[in-house]
Amino acid sequence: MSTTGFVTVPVALGERSYEIRIGSGLMTGVGADAKALGARAATVVTDAHVGPLYLDSVRASLEAAGLAASDIVLPPGESTKSFRHLEEVSNALLAAKIERGDLVIALGGGVIGDLAGFAAAILRRGVRAIQIPTSLLAQVDSSVGGKTGINTKAGKNLIGAFHQPSLVLADTDVLDTLSPREFRAGYAEVVKYGLIDDLSFFSWLEKNWTEVFAGGEARTKAIATSCTSKASIVARDEFETGDRALLNLGHTFAHALEAAVAYDGTRLVHGEAVAIGLALAFEFSARLGLTSEDDADRVRDHLKAVGLPTRIQDIPGEVGDAAHLLDLMGQDKKVSGGRLTFILARGIGRSFIASDIPPQNVLGFLSEKLA
Ligand code: GLY
């Protein structure tokens, strides 16, 4: 792999500003980037799926740039986002003598990005991090915006911190090794950006999705447009006191469905849950008279066309009844005062935060969907 030019998306956050670079071969240049940031040492945090593919070249790049490189390889999977592995990573960073001026490098998907980012946030009250996301989902969502954290028995991501990375390297070469299922799942988050506030991007995806799946310029454009959209929302609401919640479009339904299958990734991966959640958010918006049935159909048709699930019934096995799903939404951290917060839409590209949805409306809607 070699770096052949890249697209840069700035994330404008004052003194916490940074760049997202998107392009081929970027991870092999991470040593020069780490050196340019003034680091002497870097610890790469990765997992046993990604490590064998890319760890050697990342370490070689760091060492060639004169940095003291070390690594920690964790088990793959959501259960790695735990206190136990946070302790393990923290101890590895201390053993490697990572100081404030040094770097934690998150090499992996969302699990590694969130865990390593959180370890960086709390080590010595905050050291810098570079995110090298290796899934489409992590490239367009979790590596950008500084949300880091771990899961506990009480729920996902309930312990964490906002800690912006110093640089995101979205190396598009890594996407060629993803399974079709994993790539499709990440694509649901790409579609989300069109649905939030960019009808022309959604229309472009409808026409060009096969090229996005094939790779090349269309794929880079889709990632860059997604990152630009996320960067703009994060820049106006870094700590989610308002607009940033728009990024949760489809996610209240999605989190309940993931909980209903006990986060069993063989039945449902996060991006698939988001695809169903997006379809449901538009159908629910249509049911409430906010958007047209045509828009809801158009959203579902596109997600279906790329092979994503769009109905609760598309999930293999039982997920429980409407009351159970509603109860799982009640566990979600977006609930306030018995009312539910949903991101709903007045049309494609016209999403908004609705913080006053009576649970019985949701119950009725889910009962129909499950019938
Ligand atoms: N993934 C949602 C956010 O970053 O706010």
Side-chain angles (χ1 to χ4, degrees):
M1 290 191 293
S2 67
T3 306
T4 56
F6 51 84
V7 175
T8 299
V9 175
V11 185
L13 289 168
E15 62 187 16
R16 289 184 303 288
S17 296
Y18 55 97
E19 284 183 354
I20 306 162
R21 296 189 195 141
I22 302 150
S24 167
L26 286 174
M27 75 166 70
T28 56
V30 64
D33 295 322
K35 197 170 172 194
L37 287 167
R40 282 177 319 97
T43 297
V44 185
V45 182
T46 191
D47 72 25
H49 277 160
V50 173
L53 297 172
Y54 308 119
L55 182 55
D56 284 351
S57 70
V58 168
R59 276 196 66 137
S61 172
L62 293 167
E63 281 158 7
L67 276 90
S70 55
D71 64 72
I72 173 163
V73 182
L74 299 164
E78 191 69 34
S79 59
T80 294
K81 268 174 68 172
S82 64
F83 276 117
R84 186 163 75 80
H85 289 105
L86 177 66
E87 183 179 8
E88 205 182 316
V89 173
S90 302
N91 285 333
L93 297 174
L94 290 168
K97 300 193 168 30
I98 296 296
E99 302 282 347
R100 282 262 179 82
D102 296 328
L103 284 162
V104 175
I105 298 186
L107 173 66
V111 166
I112 289 296
D114 285 5
L115 174 67
F118 188 38
I122 58 175
L123 183 79
R124 304 186 198 281
R125 299 192 179 84
V127 303
R128 296 175 304 169
I130 292 180
Q131 292 277 348
I132 307 183
T134 58
S135 66
L136 178 60
L137 193 136
Q139 292 193 353
V140 299
D141 186 20
S142 56
S143 68
V144 176
K147 278 190 180 175
T148 70
I150 56 170
N151 305 329
T152 69
K153 283 199 187 90
K156 282 178 74 171
N157 300 321
L158 293 177
I159 304 285
F162 287 98
H163 185 63
Q164 300 295 340
S166 296
L167 178 67
V168 179
L169 297 175
D171 188 328
T172 48
D173 292 346
V174 305
L175 302 177
D176 295 332
T177 63
L178 296 181
S179 69
R181 182 179 184 187
E182 206 182 345
F183 188 87
R184 260 199 312 271
Y187 182 81
E189 297 277 6
V190 174
V191 173
K192 180 186 79 176
Y193 293 107
L195 299 179
I196 291 174
D197 61 4
D198 193 347
L199 171 60
S200 66
F201 182 46
F202 181 77
S203 304
W204 182 84
L205 290 170
E206 285 180 311
K207 289 190 194 76
N208 296 286
W209 69 269
T210 49
E211 280 77 19
V212 174
F213 276 61
E217 271 177 35
R219 180 184 285 179
T220 302
K221 176 181 159 138
I223 297 168
T225 306
S226 301
C227 289
T228 303
S229 172
K230 178 150 186 183
S232 139
I233 292 173
V234 169
R236 50 180 204 266
D237 180 22
E238 182 179 4
F239 300 113
E240 200 167 318
T241 54
D243 270 11
R244 185 166 180 161
L246 291 169
L247 295 169
N248 294 326
L249 179 63
H251 282 62
T252 299
F253 289 116
H255 288 158
L257 295 171
E258 285 183 279
V261 301
Y263 302 98
D264 176 349
T266 56
R267 290 175 66 192
L268 188 70
V269 296
H270 177 66
E272 292 168 345
V274 169
I276 299 172
L278 292 173
L280 291 176
F282 269 77
E283 284 167 23
F284 190 40
S285 299
R287 187 64 42 91
L288 295 173
L290 295 164
T291 191
S292 66
E293 295 286 350
D294 282 353
D295 277 346
D297 289 347
R298 197 172 153 192
V299 172
R300 198 182 44 245
D301 288 350
H302 180 55
L303 295 167
K304 260 175 87 172
V306 309
L308 281 163
T310 56
R311 300 175 323 135
I312 300 174
Q313 288 85 346
D314 293 338
I315 303 167
E318 288 298 313
V319 295
D321 62 13
H324 178 57
L325 292 178
L326 183 63
D327 192 43
L328 293 173
M329 284 176 196
Q331 307 299 323
D332 192 275
K333 58 189 180 301
K334 289 181 280 300
V335 179
S336 137
R339 299 280 171 135
L340 291 164
T341 295
F342 278 83
I343 312 305
L344 299 177
R346 298 192 177 93
I348 293 172
R350 296 180 59 213
S351 296
F352 68 101
I353 302 164
S355 50
D356 208 20
I357 302 296
Q360 53 275 27
N361 286 16
V362 186
L363 192 65
F365 171 70
L366 286 173
S367 303
E368 278 174 40
K369 289 286 130 193
L370 285 162

